[in-house]
Structures are given as C-alpha cells and as structure tokens.
Amino acid sequence: MKADMVQAFQARIVTASQNDLVVINYEMLMAELDEAAELFDIGNLGPYFKSLEKATKMLNELSFSLDFEYEIAKELMSLYIFINKKLVEASQKKSVQPIFTAQDVLGSLLVGWKEATKQAAMGDSPMIQNGQQLYAGLTYGKGQLNETVYNNSAGRGFRA
C-alpha cells in the first residue's frame, strides 16, 4: 500500500469507533488487493505475492475478530474461507481473476458494513480516547498556496 494511503488510514483509525474499524479493515483489504492486481498487470511478481500475503493477514484479522455467539458470524466465516481460497488460488496459479472474485464478495460485505455502521453511529465514540488530533488548512500567500498543519500531540499518551 502506498505511503499516503497508509497515512490516511492511520488518521481514520485514531478517530474510529469499533464499527468504523471493521469498515477500515475492509477498505484496507480492498486497497491491498487493488495493489496486487496492479502489480500482477505490470509483471512485478515479488511484490504481488507480498501484497497477497498482506491481504491474507488482513482477512485473518477479520476472521479472528468474529463472535460466534451470533449466527451471522458463521456465515461471515464461510465467506472469509471462500475469499481465502481465492487468494491462495491467485498465488498458486499466478492469476489475477481470483482476486477479482474475492473483491466482488468483499465489496458486497463492505457495503453492508458501511450501512450497519451508519445505523449504529449514534453515540459511538472513538476507540482511542487520547489520540493525536490533526488540523489542516490552506492559506493564500503571495503567489502561492500554503498548507498549514496543526499537530496537537501534547496531550497524547497515558495519563497516570
């Protein structure tokens, strides 16, 4: 994943609720699969396999976080197993088509999670209570546009 995407995801994670974290994990997984497909298209197989490995780790994280007290978790696990098989197939057959199949399934799940997150957003608070706050703005200078970033990190960390 490109550095600017990683930074954008990190900034979202700091202010994310528990439900938002699931959505972010799906989006990161989709981005990693997009990158794998791009790498395959240009014939860069070393990073292609590394990208598939990262995607598999993200998928495993989704699998490990399932709560099997709920029936939906069993259905999600079946889909995660299917997606994992497609990622293994993409790696073994050196093909991009299984990635597209996995992305189709993940895309449907992502839409569902986004909708569920919207409905559950009332009263959700960020998981990280004392995270770094970033404020950015643009100002006009003489013949140029200036970007200002205020990084309020003085209050970060644990409080005794």
Side-chain angles (χ1 to χ4, degrees), residues 57-70:
K57 288 179 181 179
M58 290 176 199
L59 183 64
N60 287 341
E61 187 61 38
L62 288 169
S63 300
F64 298 150
S65 66
L66 291 174
D67 183 354
F68 289 99
E69 289 182 20
Y70 301 98

Side-chain angles (χ1 to χ4, degrees), residues 2-17:
K2 294 174 180 54
D4 58 335
M5 288 184 81
V6 170
Q7 286 181 334
F9 281 126
Q10 286 174 341
R12 287 179 56 202
I13 288 169
V14 169
T15 60
S17 67

Side-chain angles (χ1 to χ4, degrees), residues 8-39:
F9 281 126
Q10 286 174 341
R12 287 179 56 202
I13 288 169
V14 169
T15 60
S17 67
Q18 187 172 6
N19 292 326
D20 292 333
L21 289 174
V22 174
V23 169
I24 292 168
N25 199 344
Y26 272 100
E27 290 173 346
M28 288 171 38
L29 176 53
M30 293 288 281
E32 200 63 55
L33 291 176
D34 283 339
E35 186 167 324
E38 289 173 15
L39 290 166

Side-chain angles (χ1 to χ4, degrees), residues 3-151:
D4 58 335
M5 288 184 81
V6 170
Q7 286 181 334
F9 281 126
Q10 286 174 341
R12 287 179 56 202
I13 288 169
V14 169
T15 60
S17 67
Q18 187 172 6
N19 292 326
D20 292 333
L21 289 174
V22 174
V23 169
I24 292 168
N25 199 344
Y26 272 100
E27 290 173 346
M28 288 171 38
L29 176 53
M30 293 288 281
E32 200 63 55
L33 291 176
D34 283 339
E35 186 167 324
E38 289 173 15
L39 290 166
F40 182 83
D41 286 342
I42 61 173
N44 203 347
L45 292 183
Y48 165 76
F49 291 122
K50 188 72 172 167
S51 203
L52 284 177
E53 183 181 325
K54 288 179 186 177
T56 301
K57 288 179 181 179
M58 290 176 199
L59 183 64
N60 287 341
E61 187 61 38
L62 288 169
S63 300
F64 298 150
S65 66
L66 291 174
D67 183 354
F68 289 99
E69 289 182 20
Y70 301 98
E71 190 63 31
I72 189 85
K74 296 172 187 166
E75 301 297 326
L76 285 170
M77 185 56 126
S78 296
L79 291 171
Y80 293 160
I81 290 169
F82 173 78
I83 293 165
N84 190 55
K85 286 179 182 178
K86 290 299 169 187
L87 297 181
V88 169
E89 182 181 335
S91 180
Q92 294 298 315
K93 293 184 177 180
K94 296 181 182 127
S95 170
V96 75
Q97 190 57 44
I99 292 175
F100 297 144
T101 303
Q103 283 181 314
D104 287 343
V105 175
L106 285 167
S108 298
L109 291 172
L110 177 58
V111 168
W113 274 107
K114 282 183 177 179
E115 187 59 35
T117 299
K118 280 184 203 173
Q119 292 178 10
M122 306 294 182
D124 270 356
S125 61
M127 293 293 291
I128 300 173
Q129 298 298 325
N130 198 18
Q132 182 176 8
Q133 298 294 319
L134 297 175
Y135 302 95
L138 295 173
T139 59
Y140 292 99
K142 187 173 183 174
Q144 64 185 4
L145 191 60
N146 300 319
E147 181 178 20
T148 304
V149 177
Y150 173 68
N151 182 356

